[in-house]
Amino acid sequence: MDDASLPTESPPLPDAEAFRHWFDRYARSVFNFLCALVGRRELAEELTQETFVRAYEQRATLRDRARVAAWLFGIARNVSREHVREYARWDSLDDIFDGERQPEPTDGTTPDAQLLDAELRFVVRAALAKLEPDKCMVFVLRTFEQYSYEDIAAITGFSVGKVKTDLHRARLEMRRHVRPYLSAGQGGN
């Protein structure tokens, strides 16, 4: 048997420090992604923890360290799908995104403008909740997390064509749901 036929050594597993770095870098994005998918802040926190526990347990499956984000979002997607299968549809629109209270503005933003911003966030959350799960996932990853089509395909397991189609349809639906609010804010035009 020659050396060429010997099994190649797999890349070393990330140590605790490297994994902690991944958590620090990606936890907020994974949390926001899960919030958009499941619709509740508390649940998204639990699913984020579950995502990172699974990632640590499955760290040997990571083949390309340059694609850690895609790998983590893929695990998060699976965790959310398991939850949705188990508990059916979302039951709350509260705190879909970060959910943190915004500090009082110091830039001169008026209370009216703050109220309009809060209303728009609610309208967007409501519109997201109306999207089919696949469309919502693609929309969130592209619009809020700004991933490329190829990265979204890797995260979701969809083809690039399906990603583009779902994104296009999600954008159309989002516009349809948000447009009445925006038109009303401009005098109904």
Side-chain angles (χ1 to χ4, degrees):
M1 179 184 274
D2 62 7
D3 288 340
S5 64
L6 292 176
T8 58
E9 191 175 310
S10 60
L13 295 177
D15 62 13
E17 187 63 32
F19 199 82
R20 190 173 305 114
H21 171 73
W22 292 351
F23 181 84
D24 292 343
R25 183 166 181 197
Y26 298 110
R28 186 176 192 87
S29 293
V30 168
F31 169 77
N32 287 336
F33 172 68
L34 287 166
C35 272
L37 295 180
V38 300
R40 288 194 344 240
R41 180 179 173 80
E42 300 81 21
L43 178 58
E45 288 172 352
E46 290 176 29
L47 296 179
T48 299
Q49 290 176 5
E50 177 65 21
T51 296
F52 280 92
V53 166
R54 287 190 190 181
Y56 189 78
E57 291 170 349
Q58 300 170 10
R59 64 194 188 279
T61 65
L62 178 61
R63 298 288 176 234
D64 182 359
R65 297 281 167 81
R67 301 196 48 91
V68 171
W71 178 70
L72 287 169
F73 277 96
I75 294 170
R77 177 203 66 221
N78 291 339
V79 166
S80 71
R81 282 184 176 170
E82 289 171 15
H83 172 78
V84 168
R85 265 193 303 256
E86 191 171 331
Y87 295 101
R89 195 81 174 129
W90 314 332
D91 58 12
S92 170
L93 293 176
D94 296 336
D95 300 325
I96 283 184
F97 294 107
D98 204 9
E100 292 180 6
R101 298 286 175 230
Q102 298 298 317
E104 291 299 317
T106 58
D107 61 359
T109 304
T110 66
D112 290 345
Q114 292 174 36
L115 179 60
L116 290 174
D117 287 346
E119 286 180 33
L120 180 58
R121 283 193 301 274
F122 178 80
V123 168
V124 169
R125 289 192 306 254
L128 277 172
K130 293 176 184 176
L131 292 177
E132 294 172 9
D134 287 355
K135 291 178 189 170
C136 181
M137 189 179 338
V138 168
F139 184 83
V140 168
L141 288 170
R142 180 69 178 170
T143 305
F144 300 122
E145 299 299 326
Q146 300 181 348
Y147 280 98
S148 69
Y149 296 122
E150 293 76 16
D151 287 343
I152 296 169
I155 291 167
T156 61
F158 303 154
S159 69
V160 172
K162 178 174 173 39
V163 167
K164 289 179 178 181
T165 299
D166 283 354
L167 180 61
H168 175 74
R169 291 177 179 164
R171 285 177 174 160
L172 290 175
E173 288 182 43
M174 290 296 289
R175 284 186 195 120
R176 185 169 44 87
H177 292 301
V178 175
R179 183 173 288 129
Y181 173 81
L182 296 176
S183 296
Q186 299 171 355
N189 293 333

PDB file of all heavy atoms in Angstrom, residues 3 20 28 33 36 43 45 51 58-59 63 70 78 86 92 96 109 125 133 135-136 147 149 161 179 184:
ATOM      1  N   ASP A   3       1.538   5.552  -0.011  1.00  0.00           N
ATOM      2  CA  ASP A   3       1.038   6.672   0.794  1.00  0.00           C
ATOM      3  C   ASP A   3      -0.183   7.331   0.174  1.00  0.00           C
ATOM      4  O   ASP A   3      -1.005   7.903   0.881  1.00  0.00           O
ATOM      5  CB  ASP A   3       2.130   7.724   0.989  1.00  0.00           C
ATOM      6  CG  ASP A   3       3.201   7.230   1.942  1.00  0.00           C
ATOM      7  OD1 ASP A   3       2.913   6.292   2.707  1.00  0.00           O
ATOM      8  OD2 ASP A   3       4.320   7.776   1.912  1.00  0.00           O
ATOM      9  N   ARG A  20     -15.898  29.853  20.418  1.00  0.00           N
ATOM     10  CA  ARG A  20     -16.385  31.055  21.112  1.00  0.00           C
ATOM     11  C   ARG A  20     -16.337  32.254  20.168  1.00  0.00           C
ATOM     12  O   ARG A  20     -17.252  33.077  20.149  1.00  0.00           O
ATOM     13  CB  ARG A  20     -15.531  31.321  22.357  1.00  0.00           C
ATOM     14  CG  ARG A  20     -16.109  32.403  23.260  1.00  0.00           C
ATOM     15  CD  ARG A  20     -15.350  32.550  24.571  1.00  0.00           C
ATOM     16  NE  ARG A  20     -15.266  31.289  25.303  1.00  0.00           N
ATOM     17  CZ  ARG A  20     -14.133  30.611  25.531  1.00  0.00           C
ATOM     18  NH1 ARG A  20     -12.984  31.081  25.101  1.00  0.00           N
ATOM     19  NH2 ARG A  20     -14.143  29.490  26.202  1.00  0.00           N
ATOM     20  N   ARG A  28     -25.735  36.847  16.924  1.00  0.00           N
ATOM     21  CA  ARG A  28     -26.760  37.871  16.706  1.00  0.00           C
ATOM     22  C   ARG A  28     -27.461  37.663  15.365  1.00  0.00           C
ATOM     23  O   ARG A  28     -28.686  37.765  15.274  1.00  0.00           O
ATOM     24  CB  ARG A  28     -26.142  39.256  16.790  1.00  0.00           C
ATOM     25  CG  ARG A  28     -27.147  40.380  16.718  1.00  0.00           C
ATOM     26  CD  ARG A  28     -26.429  41.728  16.900  1.00  0.00           C
ATOM     27  NE  ARG A  28     -27.346  42.789  17.116  1.00  0.00           N
ATOM     28  CZ  ARG A  28     -27.833  43.163  18.279  1.00  0.00           C
ATOM     29  NH1 ARG A  28     -27.472  42.535  19.362  1.00  0.00           N
ATOM     30  NH2 ARG A  28     -28.674  44.167  18.380  1.00  0.00           N
ATOM     31  N   PHE A  33     -32.205  35.855  12.388  1.00  0.00           N
ATOM     32  CA  PHE A  33     -32.732  34.940  11.382  1.00  0.00           C
ATOM     33  C   PHE A  33     -33.828  34.064  11.989  1.00  0.00           C
ATOM     34  O   PHE A  33     -34.919  33.928  11.436  1.00  0.00           O
ATOM     35  CB  PHE A  33     -31.570  34.096  10.843  1.00  0.00           C
ATOM     36  CG  PHE A  33     -31.954  32.974   9.936  1.00  0.00           C
ATOM     37  CD1 PHE A  33     -32.485  33.220   8.683  1.00  0.00           C
ATOM     38  CD2 PHE A  33     -31.755  31.656  10.315  1.00  0.00           C
ATOM     39  CE1 PHE A  33     -32.814  32.188   7.828  1.00  0.00           C
ATOM     40  CE2 PHE A  33     -32.070  30.616   9.478  1.00  0.00           C
ATOM     41  CZ  PHE A  33     -32.614  30.884   8.223  1.00  0.00           C
ATOM     42  N   ALA A  36     -37.081  35.943  12.755  1.00  0.00           N
ATOM     43  CA  ALA A  36     -37.907  36.133  11.565  1.00  0.00           C
ATOM     44  C   ALA A  36     -38.631  34.845  11.184  1.00  0.00           C
ATOM     45  O   ALA A  36     -39.749  34.887  10.676  1.00  0.00           O
ATOM     46  CB  ALA A  36     -37.052  36.623  10.406  1.00  0.00           C
ATOM     47  N   LEU A  43     -38.466  32.308  22.021  1.00  0.00           N
ATOM     48  CA  LEU A  43     -38.274  31.054  21.295  1.00  0.00           C
ATOM     49  C   LEU A  43     -37.012  31.125  20.439  1.00  0.00           C
ATOM     50  O   LEU A  43     -36.237  30.165  20.378  1.00  0.00           O
ATOM     51  CB  LEU A  43     -39.491  30.751  20.422  1.00  0.00           C
ATOM     52  CG  LEU A  43     -39.393  29.493  19.570  1.00  0.00           C
ATOM     53  CD1 LEU A  43     -39.143  28.260  20.436  1.00  0.00           C
ATOM     54  CD2 LEU A  43     -40.668  29.342  18.750  1.00  0.00           C
ATOM     55  N   GLU A  45     -34.365  32.802  21.066  1.00  0.00           N
ATOM     56  CA  GLU A  45     -33.223  32.656  21.969  1.00  0.00           C
ATOM     57  C   GLU A  45     -32.953  31.180  22.250  1.00  0.00           C
ATOM     58  O   GLU A  45     -31.805  30.734  22.209  1.00  0.00           O
ATOM     59  CB  GLU A  45     -33.472  33.409  23.278  1.00  0.00           C
ATOM     60  CG  GLU A  45     -33.405  34.914  23.135  1.00  0.00           C
ATOM     61  CD  GLU A  45     -33.846  35.667  24.386  1.00  0.00           C
ATOM     62  OE1 GLU A  45     -34.362  35.033  25.341  1.00  0.00           O
ATOM     63  OE2 GLU A  45     -33.689  36.898  24.399  1.00  0.00           O
ATOM     64  N   THR A  51     -29.066  25.795  18.271  1.00  0.00           N
ATOM     65  CA  THR A  51     -28.245  25.831  17.055  1.00  0.00           C
ATOM     66  C   THR A  51     -26.770  25.725  17.400  1.00  0.00           C
ATOM     67  O   THR A  51     -26.035  24.930  16.799  1.00  0.00           O
ATOM     68  CB  THR A  51     -28.512  27.130  16.265  1.00  0.00           C
ATOM     69  OG1 THR A  51     -29.879  27.126  15.829  1.00  0.00           O
ATOM     70  CG2 THR A  51     -27.586  27.259  15.074  1.00  0.00           C
ATOM     71  N   GLN A  58     -21.595  18.945  16.213  1.00  0.00           N
ATOM     72  CA  GLN A  58     -21.399  18.514  14.822  1.00  0.00           C
ATOM     73  C   GLN A  58     -20.216  19.209  14.155  1.00  0.00           C
ATOM     74  O   GLN A  58     -20.093  19.182  12.941  1.00  0.00           O
ATOM     75  CB  GLN A  58     -22.669  18.783  14.010  1.00  0.00           C
ATOM     76  CG  GLN A  58     -23.882  18.069  14.507  1.00  0.00           C
ATOM     77  CD  GLN A  58     -25.154  18.538  13.822  1.00  0.00           C
ATOM     78  OE1 GLN A  58     -25.132  19.263  12.842  1.00  0.00           O
ATOM     79  NE2 GLN A  58     -26.285  18.119  14.351  1.00  0.00           N
ATOM     80  N   ARG A  59     -19.352  19.812  14.942  1.00  0.00           N
ATOM     81  CA  ARG A  59     -18.265  20.601  14.363  1.00  0.00           C
ATOM     82  C   ARG A  59     -17.366  19.794  13.438  1.00  0.00           C
ATOM     83  O   ARG A  59     -16.723  20.337  12.557  1.00  0.00           O
ATOM     84  CB  ARG A  59     -17.467  21.319  15.437  1.00  0.00           C
ATOM     85  CG  ARG A  59     -16.729  20.437  16.403  1.00  0.00           C
ATOM     86  CD  ARG A  59     -16.252  21.237  17.623  1.00  0.00           C
ATOM     87  NE  ARG A  59     -15.389  20.460  18.478  1.00  0.00           N
ATOM     88  CZ  ARG A  59     -15.800  19.587  19.385  1.00  0.00           C
ATOM     89  NH1 ARG A  59     -17.092  19.370  19.542  1.00  0.00           N
ATOM     90  NH2 ARG A  59     -14.926  18.936  20.127  1.00  0.00           N
ATOM     91  N   ARG A  63     -16.625  21.206   6.716  1.00  0.00           N
ATOM     92  CA  ARG A  63     -15.552  20.872   5.776  1.00  0.00           C
ATOM     93  C   ARG A  63     -14.757  22.085   5.327  1.00  0.00           C
ATOM     94  O   ARG A  63     -13.589  21.989   5.020  1.00  0.00           O
ATOM     95  CB  ARG A  63     -16.137  20.177   4.541  1.00  0.00           C
ATOM     96  CG  ARG A  63     -16.825  18.886   4.858  1.00  0.00           C
ATOM     97  CD  ARG A  63     -15.805  17.825   5.215  1.00  0.00           C
ATOM     98  NE  ARG A  63     -16.491  16.603   5.609  1.00  0.00           N
ATOM     99  CZ  ARG A  63     -16.288  15.976   6.742  1.00  0.00           C
ATOM    100  NH1 ARG A  63     -15.410  16.421   7.607  1.00  0.00           N
ATOM    101  NH2 ARG A  63     -16.945  14.880   7.033  1.00  0.00           N
ATOM    102  N   ALA A  70     -22.597  29.896   6.520  1.00  0.00           N
ATOM    103  CA  ALA A  70     -23.557  29.059   5.793  1.00  0.00           C
ATOM    104  C   ALA A  70     -23.861  27.789   6.581  1.00  0.00           C
ATOM    105  O   ALA A  70     -25.009  27.352   6.665  1.00  0.00           O
ATOM    106  CB  ALA A  70     -23.026  28.718   4.406  1.00  0.00           C
ATOM    107  N   ASN A  78     -32.524  24.061  10.083  1.00  0.00           N
ATOM    108  CA  ASN A  78     -33.029  22.745  10.478  1.00  0.00           C
ATOM    109  C   ASN A  78     -33.677  22.779  11.863  1.00  0.00           C
ATOM    110  O   ASN A  78     -34.719  22.162  12.081  1.00  0.00           O
ATOM    111  CB  ASN A  78     -31.904  21.716  10.441  1.00  0.00           C
ATOM    112  CG  ASN A  78     -31.448  21.431   9.033  1.00  0.00           C
ATOM    113  OD1 ASN A  78     -32.156  21.673   8.062  1.00  0.00           O
ATOM    114  ND2 ASN A  78     -30.231  20.932   8.905  1.00  0.00           N
ATOM    115  N   GLU A  86     -43.083  20.581  14.831  1.00  0.00           N
ATOM    116  CA  GLU A  86     -43.585  20.136  16.129  1.00  0.00           C
ATOM    117  C   GLU A  86     -44.691  21.041  16.660  1.00  0.00           C
ATOM    118  O   GLU A  86     -45.650  20.577  17.261  1.00  0.00           O
ATOM    119  CB  GLU A  86     -42.432  20.082  17.128  1.00  0.00           C
ATOM    120  CG  GLU A  86     -42.776  19.385  18.414  1.00  0.00           C
ATOM    121  CD  GLU A  86     -41.555  19.161  19.279  1.00  0.00           C
ATOM    122  OE1 GLU A  86     -40.442  19.016  18.732  1.00  0.00           O
ATOM    123  OE2 GLU A  86     -41.721  19.139  20.495  1.00  0.00           O
ATOM    124  N   SER A  92     -47.266  34.528  17.374  1.00  0.00           N
ATOM    125  CA  SER A  92     -47.033  35.881  17.853  1.00  0.00           C
ATOM    126  C   SER A  92     -46.175  36.645  16.868  1.00  0.00           C
ATOM    127  O   SER A  92     -45.304  36.077  16.236  1.00  0.00           O
ATOM    128  CB  SER A  92     -46.321  35.847  19.204  1.00  0.00           C
ATOM    129  OG  SER A  92     -45.902  37.135  19.567  1.00  0.00           O
ATOM    130  N   ILE A  96     -40.116  40.166  16.540  1.00  0.00           N
ATOM    131  CA  ILE A  96     -39.598  39.296  15.489  1.00  0.00           C
ATOM    132  C   ILE A  96     -38.125  39.534  15.259  1.00  0.00           C
ATOM    133  O   ILE A  96     -37.364  38.597  15.090  1.00  0.00           O
ATOM    134  CB  ILE A  96     -40.382  39.476  14.182  1.00  0.00           C
ATOM    135  CG1 ILE A  96     -41.703  38.756  14.305  1.00  0.00           C
ATOM    136  CG2 ILE A  96     -39.622  38.934  12.999  1.00  0.00           C
ATOM    137  CD1 ILE A  96     -42.533  38.771  13.085  1.00  0.00           C
ATOM    138  N   THR A 109     -34.925  63.366  16.358  1.00  0.00           N
ATOM    139  CA  THR A 109     -36.076  62.659  15.827  1.00  0.00           C
ATOM    140  C   THR A 109     -37.276  62.965  16.702  1.00  0.00           C
ATOM    141  O   THR A 109     -37.221  62.874  17.920  1.00  0.00           O
ATOM    142  CB  THR A 109     -35.816  61.136  15.813  1.00  0.00           C
ATOM    143  OG1 THR A 109     -34.636  60.881  15.066  1.00  0.00           O
ATOM    144  CG2 THR A 109     -36.971  60.402  15.181  1.00  0.00           C
ATOM    145  N   ARG A 125     -43.145  43.245  10.085  1.00  0.00           N
ATOM    146  CA  ARG A 125     -43.222  41.968  10.807  1.00  0.00           C
ATOM    147  C   ARG A 125     -44.488  41.207  10.423  1.00  0.00           C
ATOM    148  O   ARG A 125     -44.450  39.992  10.210  1.00  0.00           O
ATOM    149  CB  ARG A 125     -43.183  42.204  12.321  1.00  0.00           C
ATOM    150  CG  ARG A 125     -41.823  42.640  12.811  1.00  0.00           C
ATOM    151  CD  ARG A 125     -41.725  42.587  14.332  1.00  0.00           C
ATOM    152  NE  ARG A 125     -42.767  43.319  15.020  1.00  0.00           N
ATOM    153  CZ  ARG A 125     -42.587  44.490  15.635  1.00  0.00           C
ATOM    154  NH1 ARG A 125     -41.410  45.065  15.635  1.00  0.00           N
ATOM    155  NH2 ARG A 125     -43.579  45.074  16.246  1.00  0.00           N
ATOM    156  N   PRO A 133     -42.870  29.871   4.658  1.00  0.00           N
ATOM    157  CA  PRO A 133     -41.579  29.760   5.351  1.00  0.00           C
ATOM    158  C   PRO A 133     -40.358  29.819   4.433  1.00  0.00           C
ATOM    159  O   PRO A 133     -39.378  30.492   4.764  1.00  0.00           O
ATOM    160  CB  PRO A 133     -41.671  28.410   6.066  1.00  0.00           C
ATOM    161  CG  PRO A 133     -43.139  28.217   6.291  1.00  0.00           C
ATOM    162  CD  PRO A 133     -43.813  28.823   5.082  1.00  0.00           C
ATOM    163  N   LYS A 135     -40.042  31.312   1.502  1.00  0.00           N
ATOM    164  CA  LYS A 135     -39.896  32.683   1.005  1.00  0.00           C
ATOM    165  C   LYS A 135     -39.394  33.607   2.110  1.00  0.00           C
ATOM    166  O   LYS A 135     -38.542  34.456   1.874  1.00  0.00           O
ATOM    167  CB  LYS A 135     -41.217  33.199   0.451  1.00  0.00           C
ATOM    168  CG  LYS A 135     -41.661  32.536  -0.823  1.00  0.00           C
ATOM    169  CD  LYS A 135     -42.999  33.086  -1.268  1.00  0.00           C
ATOM    170  CE  LYS A 135     -43.565  32.288  -2.419  1.00  0.00           C
ATOM    171  NZ  LYS A 135     -44.951  32.674  -2.691  1.00  0.00           N
ATOM    172  N   CYS A 136     -39.928  33.413   3.301  1.00  0.00           N
ATOM    173  CA  CYS A 136     -39.504  34.235   4.434  1.00  0.00           C
ATOM    174  C   CYS A 136     -38.019  34.041   4.704  1.00  0.00           C
ATOM    175  O   CYS A 136     -37.267  35.006   4.882  1.00  0.00           O
ATOM    176  CB  CYS A 136     -40.328  33.885   5.668  1.00  0.00           C
ATOM    177  SG  CYS A 136     -39.904  34.862   7.125  1.00  0.00           S
ATOM    178  N   TYR A 147     -26.837  38.106   2.410  1.00  0.00           N
ATOM    179  CA  TYR A 147     -26.081  36.990   1.854  1.00  0.00           C
ATOM    180  C   TYR A 147     -26.276  36.928   0.340  1.00  0.00           C
ATOM    181  O   TYR A 147     -27.307  37.349  -0.173  1.00  0.00           O
ATOM    182  CB  TYR A 147     -26.515  35.661   2.490  1.00  0.00           C
ATOM    183  CG  TYR A 147     -25.884  35.448   3.836  1.00  0.00           C
ATOM    184  CD1 TYR A 147     -26.563  35.737   5.002  1.00  0.00           C
ATOM    185  CD2 TYR A 147     -24.586  34.974   3.935  1.00  0.00           C
ATOM    186  CE1 TYR A 147     -25.975  35.556   6.244  1.00  0.00           C
ATOM    187  CE2 TYR A 147     -23.983  34.794   5.169  1.00  0.00           C
ATOM    188  CZ  TYR A 147     -24.689  35.085   6.303  1.00  0.00           C
ATOM    189  OH  TYR A 147     -24.086  34.906   7.527  1.00  0.00           O
ATOM    190  N   TYR A 149     -26.788  34.989  -3.355  1.00  0.00           N
ATOM    191  CA  TYR A 149     -27.674  33.899  -3.763  1.00  0.00           C
ATOM    192  C   TYR A 149     -27.018  32.543  -3.513  1.00  0.00           C
ATOM    193  O   TYR A 149     -27.671  31.605  -3.056  1.00  0.00           O
ATOM    194  CB  TYR A 149     -28.031  34.010  -5.246  1.00  0.00           C
ATOM    195  CG  TYR A 149     -28.824  35.247  -5.596  1.00  0.00           C
ATOM    196  CD1 TYR A 149     -28.361  36.154  -6.533  1.00  0.00           C
ATOM    197  CD2 TYR A 149     -30.067  35.506  -5.003  1.00  0.00           C
ATOM    198  CE1 TYR A 149     -29.086  37.282  -6.868  1.00  0.00           C
ATOM    199  CE2 TYR A 149     -30.800  36.639  -5.328  1.00  0.00           C
ATOM    200  CZ  TYR A 149     -30.306  37.524  -6.263  1.00  0.00           C
ATOM    201  OH  TYR A 149     -31.029  38.635  -6.583  1.00  0.00           O
ATOM    202  N   GLY A 161     -31.665  28.946  -8.528  1.00  0.00           N
ATOM    203  CA  GLY A 161     -32.884  29.328  -9.241  1.00  0.00           C
ATOM    204  C   GLY A 161     -34.078  29.461  -8.313  1.00  0.00           C
ATOM    205  O   GLY A 161     -34.854  30.409  -8.410  1.00  0.00           O
ATOM    206  N   ARG A 179     -47.171  48.333   0.942  1.00  0.00           N
ATOM    207  CA  ARG A 179     -47.555  49.497   0.129  1.00  0.00           C
ATOM    208  C   ARG A 179     -48.728  50.288   0.712  1.00  0.00           C
ATOM    209  O   ARG A 179     -48.663  51.520   0.755  1.00  0.00           O
ATOM    210  CB  ARG A 179     -47.861  49.083  -1.304  1.00  0.00           C
ATOM    211  CG  ARG A 179     -48.183  50.289  -2.194  1.00  0.00           C
ATOM    212  CD  ARG A 179     -48.335  49.930  -3.652  1.00  0.00           C
ATOM    213  NE  ARG A 179     -47.007  49.625  -4.185  1.00  0.00           N
ATOM    214  CZ  ARG A 179     -46.711  48.528  -4.863  1.00  0.00           C
ATOM    215  NH1 ARG A 179     -47.638  47.633  -5.104  1.00  0.00           N
ATOM    216  NH2 ARG A 179     -45.505  48.316  -5.306  1.00  0.00           N
ATOM    217  N   ALA A 184     -50.575  55.381   2.648  1.00  0.00           N
ATOM    218  CA  ALA A 184     -51.349  56.137   3.638  1.00  0.00           C
ATOM    219  C   ALA A 184     -50.484  57.211   4.281  1.00  0.00           C
ATOM    220  O   ALA A 184     -50.945  58.310   4.567  1.00  0.00           O
ATOM    221  CB  ALA A 184     -51.897  55.204   4.706  1.00  0.00           C
TER     222      ALA A 184
END
